[in-house]
Amino acid sequence: METKQTMISKDIPRTPMAEESWRLPNSVQHLAANVQEPPSRYLLREQEPYGGNLAGTKIPEAIPTIDLGLLSASSDTQEANKLRSTLQSWGFFQVSNHGIETSLMDSVMSASRDFFGLPLEEKRKYSNLIDGEHFQIEGYGNDQVKTQDQRLDWSDRLHLRVEPENERNLAHWPIHPKSFRDDLHEYAMKSKRIKGEILRAIAKLLELDEDYFVYQLSDKAPAYARFNYYPPCPRPDLVLGVKPHSDVYALTVLLVDKDVGGLQVLRDGTWYNVTTLPNYTLLINIGFTMEIMANGIFRAPVHRVVTNAEKERISVAMFYGVDPEKEVGPIPHVLTEEQPARYRKMKAKDFLFTHYDDFSRGARIVDSKI
Ligand SMILES: O=C(O)CCC(=O)C(=O)O
Ligand SMILES: [Fe+2]
């Protein structure tokens, strides 16, 4: 049997000029159009943590839907209880009555589709590699490739900072299709309102001041939009679109494709398929930053995306974080003698750095604490 090393080395050009070319990932979309078999760098390895059951298990119940109008009405405890129980079980919930019109979700999705449909040279104008080699967080491309044996995800993405608004770097914002910037701006404004409502509801569940998290996530707090593009993959049984992870920021608002599934959530060691619905759906989940602040009372769900042999898939995630200079740690108010701090404090930016490093290695998925 071939070893991991020999399998990998077949794909790597050996000329001295190209010695470091493994650092430069492909556009998976364009790779997909040109290969019959995914290169070995994309294949799941044996013994990979949380690597099994790519087909997933049918989810035994619908992901709960929370009515945002009811949730923010102070007299309603039913939606708040639903929120508490879903944050302690699936970790994902859908929202209804959220104020984003179907037509806007439609426009954001089709602007994303149009962007990924542009020729590669056009998309590379927004590349996340400066001078074609130095990785930066914003732009079009893939994850940073840190090591030669890093397993790569079968997806491309466009990652844009949307907040604080005055720190947007429009050079990364596509000018084609023409509606892209306006659609994203409008969507970001409305998504921000959803974020506010959910943060208030979570604060109330933790018996904090209603605006506690809104305050933590204001001013210099970053928000990123991440457009994920998953091309059809000839080996959905061996390749993941996004490896298992929990989101790192405090809160995620995820707009998912209505036709193509792929998102799976891990619960008690089983991967469940999140079912697609006939309409666009907004899914919400918390990330590590919130898990830490809540001292683990609410957990950031571990999820991954599987690929599809026939269809492309798109999702748009909005990630809401805290000011990178702020310390993130369990909120003193939620600590008790029985529930002492389970996480230590760390500057948000140091935590992010550690997290991305672990993510690229496919490590730190569930159990370790910062
Ligand atoms: O594509 C999806 O459904 C999920 C994407 C995701 O998990 C992410 O961007 O963090
Ligand atoms: Fe995610």
Side-chain angles (χ1 to χ4, degrees):
M1 205 184 102
E2 276 184 311
T3 66
K4 201 158 63 181
Q5 279 310 317
T6 55
M7 279 170 71
I8 289 161
S9 60
K10 271 200 290 198
D11 292 323
I12 300 164
R14 292 194 164 277
T15 55
M17 284 284 287
E19 221 165 70
E20 292 279 282
S21 67
W22 57 267
R23 286 190 186 278
L24 309 177
N26 283 297
S27 151
V28 178
Q29 184 180 8
H30 292 263
L31 180 69
N34 292 301
V35 297
Q36 303 281 326
E37 283 291 314
S40 57
R41 299 175 81 191
Y42 294 87
L43 303 182
L44 270 180
R45 316 267 163 83
E46 273 171 49
Q47 308 297 338
E48 190 144 349
Y50 308 101
N53 188 21
L54 260 62
T57 299
K58 189 172 182 304
I59 200 154
E61 56 182 330
I63 291 279
T65 301
I66 292 186
D67 180 314
L68 279 193
L70 289 179
L71 187 67
S72 49
S74 55
S75 54
D76 189 279
T77 50
Q78 199 186 330
E79 290 310 279
N81 288 339
K82 220 200 273 182
L83 177 64
R84 180 194 305 279
S85 94
T86 189
L87 286 174
Q88 291 177 329
S89 53
W90 292 109
F92 277 94
F93 56 96
Q94 289 176 40
V95 281
S96 62
N97 205 358
H98 49 61
I100 303 192
E101 308 80 3
T102 309
S103 56
L104 179 57
M105 296 197 270
D106 222 344
S107 307
V108 168
M109 277 297 198
S110 40
S112 317
R113 211 174 293 282
D114 290 352
F115 171 75
F116 288 107
L118 294 172
L120 188 56
E121 318 81 77
E122 184 62 28
K123 286 179 292 207
R124 287 229 163 114
K125 290 183 185 159
Y126 307 97
S127 174
N128 63 3
L129 296 174
I130 306 166
D131 299 330
E133 49 184 321
H134 303 292
F135 180 84
Q136 61 186 353
I137 187 92
E138 275 190 275
Y140 166 76
N142 309 88
D143 283 327
Q144 183 171 20
V145 183
K146 294 192 169 188
T147 60
Q148 206 156 354
D149 70 347
Q150 183 176 328
R151 188 177 56 68
L152 304 182
D153 289 341
W154 194 261
S155 53
D156 296 327
R157 56 126 188 278
L158 174 67
H159 200 210
L160 302 174
R161 189 179 177 99
V162 291
E163 279 174 40
E165 221 182 304
N166 62 1
E167 286 181 34
R168 287 181 185 175
N169 186 347
L170 286 185
H172 298 302
W173 288 45
I175 50 169
H176 297 298
K178 283 205 164 43
S179 63
F180 190 99
R181 291 179 173 189
D182 288 346
D183 287 341
L184 178 55
H185 175 72
E186 194 183 341
Y187 183 75
M189 292 295 108
K190 294 192 167 159
S191 171
K192 187 177 173 178
R193 261 187 254 148
I194 297 177
K195 170 203 71 168
E197 281 171 32
I198 293 163
L199 289 182
R200 277 192 202 92
I202 296 180
K204 282 200 265 179
L205 289 180
L206 293 171
E207 294 174 2
L208 299 166
D209 183 71
E210 197 185 20
D211 286 324
Y212 185 89
F213 292 119
V214 176
Y215 170 75
Q216 292 288 322
L217 273 74
S218 64
D219 296 339
K220 298 212 172 90
Y224 284 91
R226 174 168 156 147
F227 300 81
N228 294 304
Y229 179 84
Y230 306 92
C233 176
R235 293 305 301 266
D237 55 326
L238 289 178
V239 173
L240 279 172
V242 173
K243 56 174 87 60
H245 67 283
S246 294
D247 295 341
V248 65
Y249 284 126
L251 193 77
T252 306
V253 177
L254 179 70
L255 172 59
V256 286
D257 210 309
K258 58 182 172 177
D259 305 313
V260 195
L263 178 61
Q264 296 182 335
V265 57
L266 187 67
R267 185 169 173 190
D268 301 330
T270 301
W271 284 107
Y272 291 99
N273 291 313
V274 175
T275 353
T276 51
L277 293 165
N279 296 317
Y280 287 119
T281 313
L282 286 183
L283 285 176
I284 315 281
N285 64 280
I286 63 161
F288 272 134
T289 305
M290 180 63 82
E291 174 177 324
I292 291 166
M293 291 193 286
N295 199 34
I297 294 174
F298 304 134
R299 304 296 299 267
V302 178
H303 54 286
R304 69 181 182 186
V305 179
V306 293
T307 54
N308 184 295
E310 279 100 42
K311 294 180 180 167
E312 62 180 21
R313 177 175 182 271
I314 288 178
S315 67
V316 182
M318 303 288 286
F319 299 116
Y320 295 97
V322 299
D323 176 353
E325 294 299 331
K326 268 198 176 146
E327 291 229 301
V328 172
I331 302 163
H333 183 88
V334 303
L335 302 179
T336 59
E337 234 163 74
E338 298 80 55
Q339 297 285 343
R342 301 172 60 188
Y343 308 81
R344 68 186 166 85
K345 269 195 207 161
M346 208 190 256
K347 253 196 187 165
K349 66 178 178 194
D350 299 333
F351 167 53
L352 288 179
F353 182 78
T354 316
H355 177 85
Y356 285 126
D357 205 42
D358 287 352
F359 177 73
S360 69
R361 288 185 286 111
R364 180 350 175 176
I365 319 285
V366 188
D367 302 315
S368 64
K369 303 284 175 279
I370 58 169

